[in-house]
């Protein structure tokens, strides 16, 4: 059974659509990337999952419980980091740990201290004196300290320096390895690519793709640079259908490869090439393409 | 619930203590000054007949040329400073959840914890009840500390004083209850405070106008101060059951309605 599931989840803001018939499922042990530009509906989806917003249609469930009706109960197993984290100015890690421990009915102080150490967080520094990144670290500690079965992180790396981003990535991987489901919302492709097993792309409130990263990589074109002996040879070259020219510059012809590499290798063997460079699958261009298709569809 | 109470207490203890001390200080000062004012009141009424009407308006009941010493003592509990302090406590506390939490953006963190909205609301209501007792008790203590300087015929007896305190507490609950209802409907604390403040000021002015302008008397029942008349309690010594029940009914209705609204509406940082 999926740890998190939404079925035709819909939420409007007056005449404006927040999310429209969103269907998602995240299993235990999976790191699920939820990708989209600002205003695409990522935070609205998360707020529906957390039971802050009531859906106008459809349903969201966590651990088999309805997110609106059983919001308090299901949040025992959920760790949540809001996208725009704001905390009480007087809060310190110590006071927060005490309040959250009492609220959750479990002592989280040992795990919170361990996480704070990994994030290099001072236990007695109040929020009013914290930088944005430090506040984010406190939010992450509080979201993870009770070892939740589901982690919902809304743009968790914002404000974090690269070192802390890497520590967060380690913690996310550890949580998934321990069996937790991770719902990782972001608008940055690279962090989703490095962390997630599967990704859904949301655009204007609609999920336009929901696939494993491996499947997306198979669909992703590779950039191929063909170097000929001279400019004349490069311009005279006739390319096969699976190579689309991006640009020709001097003796170099830059193309996108569609499909797998063996046909390219076979074809290249017969060409007057000096060199050939094959890049990694370019997910960026897949996402751009998907967005473009989505835009045409609306 | 303990965690939530700890958080609320942490945020409220300073303001509650300051308001309580302010009320105690104001009551000490008024208890000290009222006998001196009362001695000159007869002359003032002779020279300025309008002052007598103003005094009636303030006490919410008709006063004769010879204002009794006991009735005069009730000024202590209807003085605008005293009312303002108690209302400040009620409004400050009642507009924190959900309007205050939404406004400052902390509602996402608060509701991210495994607590129901009803529990969050209930904790705030418990704090309203508890801090109201504390603040009014501190005010009462301030009055009792200075009471020995009052002439014996003016000094309210303990029983009447406690009845007035109970009535005052009901008034505080009614204002707080309305504050919770308004807060449950708002996403901006400033707006919630402005609405509740407008309602209590309107009530104060209505009560005042009802003594000066007969048409206002017909709608005076709409104001909460119509159900809080310490002068009558001091004169009769009777418990104003009907007034207190009306105030408690307003409080109960508004608190329950506020809780229901909060439980059912969508809530998140705007």
């Amino acid at each position: 059974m999926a740890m998190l599931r939404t079925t035709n989840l819909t939420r409007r803001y007056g005449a404006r659509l927040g999310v429209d018939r969103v269907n998602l499922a995240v299993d235990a042990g999976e790191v699920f990337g939820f990708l989209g530009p600002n205003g695409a509906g990522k935070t609205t989806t998360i707020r529906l999952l957390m039971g802050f917003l009531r859906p106008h249609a459809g349903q969201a469930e966590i651990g088999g419980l309805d997110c609106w009706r059983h919001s308090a109960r299901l949040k025992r197993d959920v760790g949540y980091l809001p996208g725009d984290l704001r905390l009480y100015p007087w809060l310190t890690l110590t006071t927060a740990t005490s309040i959250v421990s009492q609220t959750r009915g479990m002592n989280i102080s040992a795990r919170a201290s361990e996480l704070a150490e990994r994030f290099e967080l001072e236990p007695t520094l109040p929020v009013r004196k914290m930088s944005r990144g430090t506040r984010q670290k406190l939010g992450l500690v509080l979201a993870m300290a009770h070892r939740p079965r589901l982690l919902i992180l809304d743009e968790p790396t914002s404000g974090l320096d690269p070192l802390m981003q890497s520590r967060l990535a380690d913690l996310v991987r550890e949580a998934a390895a321990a069996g937790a489901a991770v719902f990782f919302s972001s608008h940055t492709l690279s962090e989703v690519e490095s962390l997630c097993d599967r990704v859904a792309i949301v655009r204007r409130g609609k999920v336009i793709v929901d696939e494993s990263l491996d499947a997306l990589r198979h669909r992703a074109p590779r950039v191929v640079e063909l170097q000929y002996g001279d400019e004349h040879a490069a311009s005279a070259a006739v390319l096969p259908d699976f190579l689309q020219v991006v640009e020709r510059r001097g003796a170099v012809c830059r193309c996108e490869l569609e499909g797998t590499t063996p046909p390219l290798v076979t074809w290249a063997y017969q060409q007057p090439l000096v060199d050939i460079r094959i890049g990694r699958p370019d997910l960026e261009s897949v996402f751009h393409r998907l967005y473009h298709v989505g835009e045409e569809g609306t | 619930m303990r965690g939530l109470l700890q958080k609320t207490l942490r945020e409220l203890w300073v303001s509650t203590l300051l308001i309580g001390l302010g009320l105690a200080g104001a009551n000490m000062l008024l208890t000290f000054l009222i006998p001196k004012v009362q001695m000159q009141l007869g002359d003032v009424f002779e020279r300025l007949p309008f002052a007598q009407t103003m005094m009636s308006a303030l006490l919410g009941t008709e006063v004769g040329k010879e204002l009794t010493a006991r009735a005069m003592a009730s000024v202590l509990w209807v003085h605008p400073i005293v009312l303002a302090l108690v209302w400040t406590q009620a409004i400050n506390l009642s507009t924190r959840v959900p309007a205050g939490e939404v406004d400052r953006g902390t509602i996402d963190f608060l509701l991210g914890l495994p607590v129901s909205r009803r529990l969050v609301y209930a904790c705030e209501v418990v704090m309203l009840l508890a801090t109201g007792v504390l603040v009014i008790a501190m005010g009462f203590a301030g009055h009792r500390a200075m009471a020995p300087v009052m002439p014996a015929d003016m000094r309210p007896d303990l029983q009447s004083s406690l009845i007035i305190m109970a009535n005052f507490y009901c008034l505080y609950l009614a204002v707080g209850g309305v504050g919770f209802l308004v807060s449950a409907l708002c996403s901006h604390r400033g707006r919630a405070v402005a609405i509740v403040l407008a309602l209590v000021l309107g009530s104060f002015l209505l009560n005042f106008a009802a003594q000066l302008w007969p048409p206002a008397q017909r709608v005076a029942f709409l104001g909460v101060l119509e159900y809080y008349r310490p002068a009558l309690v001091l004169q009769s010594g009777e418990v104003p059951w009907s007034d207190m029940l009306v105030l408690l009914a307003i409080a109960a209705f508004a608190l329950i309605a506020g809780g229901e609204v909060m439980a059912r509406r969508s809530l998140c940082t705007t």
Side-chain angles (χ1 to χ4, degrees), chain B residues 7-267:
Chain B
K7 174 224 154 229
T8 309
L9 199 61
R10 167 103 201 192
E11 293 190 306
L12 283 175
W13 74 270
V14 173
S15 63
T16 301
L17 191 66
L18 286 176
I19 288 174
L21 288 173
L23 195 62
N27 276 355
M28 286 173 84
L29 195 65
L30 289 168
T31 307
F32 177 72
L33 290 176
I34 283 169
K36 299 183 186 340
V37 174
Q38 206 256 342
M39 281 188 271
Q40 299 155 13
L41 213 55
D43 293 344
V44 174
F45 286 175
E46 279 296 324
R47 279 186 282 121
L48 301 167
F50 184 68
Q52 189 180 340
T53 317
M54 295 293 282
M55 184 58 80
S56 298
L58 184 64
L59 295 177
T61 183
E62 194 62 41
V63 295
K65 276 204 180 340
E66 291 300 316
L67 182 65
T68 65
R70 283 207 143 195
M72 184 62 194
S74 68
V75 168
L76 182 69
W77 298 109
V78 291
H79 194 278
I81 292 175
V82 172
L83 292 177
L85 284 168
V86 170
W87 286 343
T88 300
Q89 175 68 10
I91 294 171
N92 177 43
L93 211 151
S94 63
T95 53
R96 287 164 37 81
V97 169
E101 294 279 353
V102 172
D103 207 17
R104 61 180 169 165
T106 45
I107 192 84
D108 285 11
F109 170 73
L110 185 62
L111 295 184
L113 298 169
V115 288
S116 69
R117 295 168 180 213
R118 287 182 204 279
L119 185 65
V120 172
Y121 187 82
C123 284
E124 294 288 321
V125 172
V126 166
M127 293 307 284
L128 176 83
L129 299 173
T131 61
V133 171
L134 184 71
V135 163
I136 290 175
M138 285 174 81
F140 182 61
H143 158 65
R144 295 301 287 187
M146 199 53 88
V149 304
M150 272 185 152
D153 62 330
M154 190 178 217
R155 199 179 308 149
D157 61 280
L158 184 63
Q159 189 184 339
S160 299
S161 298
L162 289 174
I163 293 170
I164 292 170
M165 291 306 97
N167 198 174
F168 199 22
Y169 185 61
C170 294
L171 175 72
Y172 163 84
L173 289 183
V175 173
V178 171
F180 270 104
L181 176 57
V182 173
S183 171
L185 293 163
C186 290
S187 294
H188 297 283
R189 192 179 194 190
R191 193 175 299 162
V193 169
I195 292 170
V196 186
L197 205 57
L199 289 172
V200 293
L201 280 177
S203 178
F204 184 78
L205 292 174
L206 183 64
N207 185 61
F208 207 77
Q211 305 300 322
L212 309 171
W213 189 43
Q217 278 173 357
R218 285 199 287 272
V219 288
F221 71 94
L222 293 172
V224 283
L225 283 174
E226 177 71 5
Y227 310 101
Y228 175 63
R229 289 167 292 187
L232 291 184
V233 175
L234 285 180
Q235 279 168 352
S236 68
E238 288 174 6
V239 179
W241 288 113
S242 59
D243 287 349
M244 285 165 63
L245 284 173
V246 169
L247 291 171
L248 286 177
I250 293 169
F253 171 79
L255 285 171
I256 292 167
E260 286 304 308
V261 172
M262 179 166 160
R264 286 159 199 267
R265 67 173 280 204
S266 287
L267 277 176

Side-chain angles (χ1 to χ4, degrees), chain A residues 11 47 50-54 68 72 75-76 80 86-88 90 95 98-100 102-104 142, chain B residues 2-3 6-7 10-11 101 104-106 108-111 114-117 264-269:
Chain A
R11 169 77 197 185
R47 284 173 171 169
M50 291 300 294
F52 299 166
L53 301 177
R54 190 176 203 157
W68 174 258
K75 277 183 281 194
R76 284 183 209 149
Y80 168 58
R86 285 187 246 171
L87 297 164
Y88 308 106
W90 47 266
T95 53
S98 159
I99 289 169
V100 173
Q102 286 182 25
T103 312
R104 290 198 173 276
L142 297 176
Chain B
R2 270 180 59 204
Q6 185 189 341
K7 174 224 154 229
R10 167 103 201 192
E11 293 190 306
E101 294 279 353
R104 61 180 169 165
T106 45
D108 285 11
F109 170 73
L110 185 62
L111 295 184
V115 288
S116 69
R117 295 168 180 213
R264 286 159 199 267
R265 67 173 280 204
S266 287
L267 277 176
C268 60
T269 305

Side-chain angles (χ1 to χ4, degrees), chain A residues 4-298:
Chain A
L4 176 161
R5 183 186 297 281
T6 68
T7 314
N8 292 325
L9 192 63
T10 302
R11 169 77 197 185
R12 289 177 291 271
Y13 295 103
R16 197 168 62 84
L17 202 61
V19 290
D20 184 21
R21 284 166 287 163
V22 168
N23 293 295
L24 298 169
V26 182
D27 292 326
E30 184 179 25
V31 183
F32 181 81
F34 198 48
L35 199 64
N38 295 329
K42 300 189 299 292
T43 299
T44 298
T45 305
I46 287 174
R47 284 173 171 169
L48 286 160
L49 289 170
M50 291 300 294
F52 299 166
L53 301 177
R54 190 176 203 157
H56 286 121
Q59 200 181 18
E61 286 178 355
I62 290 176
L65 296 172
D66 182 88
C67 291
W68 174 258
R69 279 181 291 159
H70 304 290
S71 170
R73 209 168 117 200
L74 61 85
K75 277 183 281 194
R76 284 183 209 149
D77 290 327
V78 176
Y80 168 58
L81 178 80
D84 179 19
L85 176 68
R86 285 187 246 171
L87 297 164
Y88 308 106
W90 47 266
L91 204 68
T92 64
L93 174 66
T94 311
T95 53
T97 303
S98 159
I99 289 169
V100 173
S101 290
Q102 286 182 25
T103 312
R104 290 198 173 276
M106 63 188 290
N107 190 350
I108 62 161
S109 53
R111 175 68 175 155
S113 301
E114 185 196 320
L115 290 170
E117 219 166 277
R118 288 176 75 168
F119 280 123
E120 296 170 15
L121 189 62
E122 273 183 63
T124 53
L125 187 70
V127 165
R128 64 174 168 273
K129 291 185 181 171
M130 286 181 182
S131 66
R132 185 163 170 246
T134 312
R135 279 202 304 273
Q136 191 78 349
K137 289 192 262 181
L138 176 57
L140 284 164
V141 170
L142 297 176
M144 298 170 121
H146 60 290
R147 299 182 193 274
R149 287 170 61 211
L150 171 66
L151 253 178
I152 297 180
L153 306 174
D154 193 358
E155 304 198 359
T157 54
S158 62
L160 295 184
D161 60 48
L163 179 66
M164 291 303 143
Q165 286 186 20
S166 145
R167 289 198 185 157
L168 170 63
D170 290 344
L171 284 165
V172 166
R173 286 190 197 100
E174 285 168 26
V182 182
F183 188 92
F184 192 101
S185 159
S186 175
H187 58 248
T188 313
L189 173 62
S190 56
E191 64 188 24
V192 168
E193 195 181 351
S194 67
L195 258 180
C196 301
D197 310 308
R198 199 154 57 86
V199 64
I201 302 174
V202 63
R203 190 184 168 281
R204 292 195 183 168
K206 292 186 179 187
V207 172
I208 53 174
V209 73
D210 181 354
E211 280 182 36
S212 73
L213 270 167
D214 284 342
L216 275 176
R217 280 193 194 103
H218 274 108
R219 283 169 55 178
R222 291 161 182 264
V223 172
V224 176
E225 283 188 1
L226 306 169
Q227 181 151 11
Y228 290 86
D230 54 44
E231 191 174 346
H232 175 71
S235 58
V238 178
L239 300 177
D241 291 344
F242 53 77
L243 281 179
Q244 305 298 321
V245 178
V246 177
E247 67 171 340
R248 290 178 197 264
R249 199 174 51 217
V252 176
C253 187
R254 199 157 174 268
C255 315
E256 267 185 9
L257 169 69
E258 285 178 2
T260 53
T261 47
L264 171 69
V265 175
T266 310
W267 172 81
Y269 182 68
Q270 297 157 351
Q271 302 301 309
L273 292 170
V274 175
D275 193 11
I276 182 167
R277 282 184 291 276
I278 305 172
R280 295 177 60 204
D282 183 13
L283 279 182
E284 194 88 37
S285 64
V286 173
F287 290 123
H288 283 301
R289 237 178 252 179
L290 287 167
Y291 276 114
H292 187 61
V293 169
E295 209 153 349
E296 280 172 353
T298 54

